[in-house]
Amino acid sequence: MTVTYSRRVADAGLGTFSHLLLRWKGSIYKLLWRELIIFTTLYYSFSIIYRFVLNEGQKRLFEKLAIYCDRYAELIPVSFVLGFYVTLVVSRWWGQFESVPWPDRLGALVGAHVRGTDEIARLTRRTLMRYANLSGVLIYRSVSTAVYKRFPTMKHLVQAGLMTAEEHRQLEELPSPHNKFWVPCMWFVNLALRARTEGRINNDVALSAILNELNTLRTQCMKLYSYDWISLPLVYTQVVTVAVYSFFLACLIGRQFLDPAQGYAGHDIDFYLPVFTLLQFFFYVGWLKVAEQLINPFGEDDDDFETNYLVDRNLQVSLLSVDEMYDTIPLVEKDKYWNESEPQPPYTAASAEHRKPSFMGSALDISVPKEEMEFQSNLEQIKEHEEANHSTPLLGGLSRLLGVQSPVFPRSSTSSRVSLLRRRPGAPFSRFPPFLHSEGDPSTPSHGPGPRHDSSHPDYAFSSMPLYERSGFYSCPQTPIHCVPPAMPRPRPTRGTYAWDRSSSSLAPPMVGSGGLLPPDTPGHMLPPPSSAFPWLSEEGEGPCVPAFSFPDPGNLPELCPISKLRPGQGLLSRRPPPPLEVIEEDTLHSESIQIP
């Protein structure tokens, strides 16, 4: 029933669509010829009455009525209402087609996972697919008039072989007043579980894949049922129909050709055939007929879905895929391109012109001048070009379009952003790029005190050390390692005197019986920072009032313990006091709790 013309419009050319205008089946002429004849007959009836039946006074009254109908008929929003309605109908029509159940994927899963070559295994596979097709046929009987005429009763399904007599008896005895298209799906699930229990389905993953695909098929059947149940609002269909037909009822009188001798505006010429009125009727009413045909594609129109074909095709393909195609493969042999790394199938003489080189990307066709291909190593020059382009975006865009070099604006002083990166007096050179400051150049003499870029100096040794090798990196990861001292909270009061046997960066457990634990994260007293850690401090170690964080002196770095797998009682967990232990003395019969500090 579906009219297919894809081959006729495969190539665009002169008169490609014009050839389609001569087809009758599924055409607009076949839908509209009755309405067009009725409208034309009524129009000429009014025209004959106006010209030959009415007297002069009645003609003047009819002319005023015609002008009135023509003026106010344009107020009916036919295009607006009809356009939205047809758009909604077409989207609904395509959604119904996407909901048509196809059992192909389910048949592939059943044939792959339900194993066995005996009669029981073959019966199981065929029955599973017959249940899936039976569910689709039951839903087609509910929504399609063509399928219902083919299977008007359940006995016709039994006679057609889609259902057995026992299955028909169980289906009829099921106490449910609702549509029973879902019953074969439950039979499918029970049979699949039995096959899993018998070992014909190897694992639960395969069973889950089969059931998921069955649920997809059932969801599609439910969508078809929902589309048939919930139609477009009736009031919307009524509004569109009334708008179209009332507009053309007004056109029967308003589009009449009046007497030119009366001097009415727009009626200078007298015609007998209203060409543009008939074209307008053809377009608007034809548009309405399109919506009328697509609103329910499960009927018997020329462009409705061929549901009977779907029933035949799905049953045949699904049974072939699980029975005759089961474990059937052709002889496996080497292909023609076995020893070729770039196989190239041949072309015929008719298709040789369609051979094209491989597409490598549109950006590869860009031509870049040779002088612009070199990398720029000067950071200041790159920043100047960026600032020039950002300050004059229109000029920069035109220069790139016309191929003109962007202007270079002189800068009187160093950018303020770069000045923020200047090294503090006395800070090690390794922390700052040498090209930012003149004092970073080894050839320029330094005017201020401070350590030199010397590998033997402790400042250089500590700052060039990787972060993971620095003291305190593992034991205190929350502390930022930065050249600017962060603000630290006030130290907590001391809890007692502890013996600092190891560095705070050590991950070794506390010594039992040593009488102390590792120091807390913020000890009560802080050792004076070495002069090499923060060169901007004075020799007396006095700095700003904000407490500063300091690293241990590189010269007195303790020996780091090897990092091993953390255990309870090491690292940060070692800061917690151990829980109280109960010790049972041998001399007494009672136990007492002894807490180890």
Side-chain angles (χ1 to χ4, degrees):
M1 287 182 285
T2 302
V3 179
T4 303
Y5 56 92
S6 300
R7 186 181 63 85
R8 297 296 184 94
V9 295
D11 301 323
L14 180 62
T16 300
F17 282 178
S18 300
H19 293 88
L20 301 178
L21 298 178
L22 304 178
R23 304 186 65 171
W24 175 256
K25 183 179 181 180
S27 64
I28 187 63
Y29 321 119
K30 187 177 180 180
L31 289 175
L32 198 61
W33 68 273
R34 299 178 183 87
E35 287 82 358
L36 185 61
I37 290 178
I38 293 174
F39 178 80
T40 306
T41 302
L42 292 177
Y43 181 87
Y44 278 109
S45 299
F46 282 104
S47 178
I48 292 173
I49 292 174
Y50 166 69
R51 295 174 184 271
F52 303 104
V53 176
L54 301 180
N55 54 30
E56 293 298 327
Q58 293 174 342
K59 286 183 178 180
R60 303 290 86 80
L61 182 62
F62 182 85
E63 292 168 356
K64 292 181 181 179
L65 180 62
I67 294 175
Y68 176 82
C69 291
D70 184 49
R71 178 185 303 174
Y72 289 99
E74 300 296 334
L75 299 179
I76 302 176
V78 182
S79 301
F80 179 79
V81 175
L82 192 58
F84 274 98
Y85 183 75
V86 174
T87 302
L88 183 60
V89 169
V90 171
S91 61
R92 175 187 172 89
W93 167 78
W94 185 251
Q96 293 181 73
F97 177 75
E98 290 183 337
S99 302
V100 171
W102 300 90
D104 297 38
R105 294 177 55 183
L106 182 60
L109 289 175
V110 170
H113 295 301
V114 182
R115 310 302 299 172
T117 57
D118 56 333
E119 195 72 18
I120 301 300
R122 180 188 177 190
L123 179 61
T124 301
R125 290 191 295 269
R126 292 181 64 92
T127 305
L128 287 174
M129 296 311 301
R130 185 170 58 83
Y131 287 159
N133 283 275
L134 179 59
S135 179
V137 172
L138 291 179
I139 200 64
Y140 284 145
R141 286 186 70 252
S142 303
V143 301
S144 175
T145 58
V147 177
Y148 186 82
K149 289 180 179 180
R150 183 179 180 182
F151 307 107
T153 62
M154 289 294 182
K155 293 182 180 180
H156 288 79
L157 294 177
V158 177
Q159 296 175 4
L162 295 173
M163 182 189 301
T164 63
E166 178 63 23
E167 293 168 356
H168 176 255
R169 184 186 61 82
Q170 293 187 14
L171 188 66
E172 293 295 332
E173 292 179 356
L174 190 66
S176 176
H178 308 291
N179 195 316
K180 300 178 182 179
F181 74 92
W182 52 271
V183 175
C185 295
M186 299 307 302
W187 292 343
F188 185 101
V189 172
N190 297 334
L191 185 57
L193 292 176
R194 179 186 297 178
R196 175 68 182 101
T197 305
E198 295 175 353
R200 303 187 186 278
I201 299 179
N202 296 331
N203 50 69
D204 293 336
V205 177
L207 177 63
S208 178
I210 293 175
L211 295 183
N212 287 338
E213 189 60 34
L214 175 68
N215 288 333
T216 302
L217 192 73
R218 180 175 176 176
T219 302
Q220 291 175 328
C221 293
M222 193 64 199
K223 284 184 177 180
L224 291 183
Y225 178 77
S226 302
Y227 274 118
D228 185 68
W229 176 31
I230 305 298
S231 303
L232 288 177
L234 179 61
V235 60
Y236 201 0
T237 306
Q238 291 175 342
V239 166
V240 174
T241 306
V242 169
V244 172
Y245 285 109
S246 62
F247 174 78
F248 285 103
L249 284 177
C251 289
L252 289 175
I253 300 177
R255 299 296 177 86
Q256 294 289 336
F257 291 98
L258 305 180
D259 187 5
Q262 302 298 323
Y264 297 113
H267 293 275
D268 302 331
I269 304 176
D270 188 10
F271 284 118
Y272 293 95
L273 181 65
V275 179
F276 292 98
T277 302
L278 293 179
L279 288 177
Q280 196 173 19
F281 179 86
F282 186 84
F283 297 146
Y284 282 165
V285 180
W287 209 356
L288 183 64
K289 285 295 180 178
V290 169
E292 181 181 326
Q293 186 176 22
L294 299 182
I295 193 171
N296 185 9
F298 293 101
E300 300 179 62
D301 297 327
D302 290 340
D303 273 326
D304 286 343
F305 300 154
E306 299 179 3
T307 49
N308 282 317
Y309 161 77
L310 293 175
V311 171
D312 299 337
R313 184 262 175 198
N314 291 342
L315 182 63
Q316 295 174 8
V317 171
S318 57
L319 293 182
L320 282 174
S321 61
V322 299
D323 191 7
E324 296 186 11
M325 293 296 297
Y326 178 75
D327 277 353
T328 302
I329 56 176
L331 179 64
V332 180
E333 54 185 354
K334 295 182 179 180
D335 58 85
K336 183 179 179 180
Y337 310 101
W338 181 262
N339 296 322
E340 298 183 13
S341 59
E342 297 181 1
Q344 182 61 54
Y347 286 84
T348 60
S351 62
E353 60 179 350
H354 300 291
R355 183 178 180 179
K356 302 295 181 181
S358 178
F359 179 72
M360 303 301 296
S362 59
L364 297 182
D365 298 334
I366 299 177
S367 60
V368 182
K370 185 177 181 180
E371 59 273 6
E372 296 183 6
M373 294 184 182
E374 299 179 359
F375 290 107
Q376 298 182 1
S377 58
N378 192 348
L379 181 61
E380 294 293 331
Q381 184 179 358
I382 295 176
K383 291 183 179 296
E384 289 179 358
H385 286 305
E386 290 180 354
E387 292 183 359
N389 292 333
H390 286 298
S391 60
T392 56
L394 180 60
L395 185 58
L398 291 177
S399 63
R400 286 192 297 269
L401 179 63
L402 302 177
V404 182
Q405 186 178 2
S406 301
V408 179
F409 297 93
R411 303 175 64 189
S412 58
S413 60
T414 308
S415 176
S416 59
R417 292 178 295 176
V418 181
S419 63
L420 294 176
L421 302 177
R422 288 188 179 276
R423 183 180 64 88
R424 294 177 180 270
F429 286 95
S430 60
R431 302 181 185 178
F432 302 92
F435 59 83
L436 294 178
H437 310 286
S438 59
E439 60 182 1
D441 190 1
S443 61
T444 304
S446 177
H447 300 283
R452 286 297 180 186
H453 191 83
D454 189 4
S455 60
S456 61
H457 198 278
D459 288 339
Y460 176 81
F462 179 78
S463 60
S464 61
M465 184 184 301
L467 296 179
Y468 59 86
E469 295 182 2
R470 295 187 181 183
S471 175
F473 180 78
Y474 291 100
S475 62
C476 191
Q478 72 276 9
T479 303
I481 301 178
H482 199 272
C483 60
V484 180
M488 300 295 294
R490 295 182 179 180
R492 295 194 296 254
T494 58
R495 301 178 182 177
T497 305
Y498 301 101
W500 286 52
D501 296 336
R502 295 180 180 269
S503 172
S504 62
S505 63
S506 174
L507 298 178
M511 301 297 295
V512 179
S514 60
L517 299 173
L518 290 177
D521 295 336
T522 53
H525 61 281
M526 299 180 61
L527 296 178
S531 58
S532 60
F534 302 102
W536 57 83
L537 295 177
S538 61
E539 297 181 358
E540 293 78 6
E542 297 178 359
C545 59
V546 180
F549 175 79
S550 63
F551 296 106
D553 195 348
N556 300 326
L557 286 176
E559 182 180 359
L560 298 178
C561 296
I563 300 174
S564 60
K565 188 176 181 180
L566 291 177
R567 298 186 302 271
Q570 291 187 354
L572 296 177
L573 298 178
S574 63
R575 309 298 175 86
R576 301 177 181 176
L581 302 177
E582 295 184 1
V583 180
I584 302 177
E585 299 181 0
E586 298 180 358
D587 300 338
T588 60
L589 297 178
H590 63 279
S591 62
E592 59 181 355
S593 175
I594 302 177
Q595 297 183 0
I596 300 178

